[in-house]
């Protein structure tokens, strides 16, 4: 029973954090126009 209570408290804390961040909103700024590299560049030819 204690495990269920601990899980419920943890879930409530996680949801509170998510709702808080959602209410505050995203920080101001812009995204980079350059694409991110998804692979390691090979040797230059």
């Amino acid at each position: 029973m204690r495990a269920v209570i601990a899980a419920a408290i943890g879930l409530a804390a996680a949801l509170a954090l998510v709702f808080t961040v959602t209410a505050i909103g995203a920080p101001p700024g812009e995204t980079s126009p350059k694409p991110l590299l998804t692979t390691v560049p090979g040797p230059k030819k």
Side-chain angles (χ1 to χ4, degrees):
M1 189 65 180
R2 280 189 262 174
V4 173
I5 294 171
I9 291 172
L11 180 62
L15 286 175
L17 179 64
V18 168
F19 287 138
T20 301
V21 171
T22 303
I24 292 173
E30 298 178 1
T31 57
S32 173
K34 296 180 182 178
L36 296 175
L37 293 176
T38 57
T39 58
V40 178
K44 294 185 179 181
K45 295 181 180 180

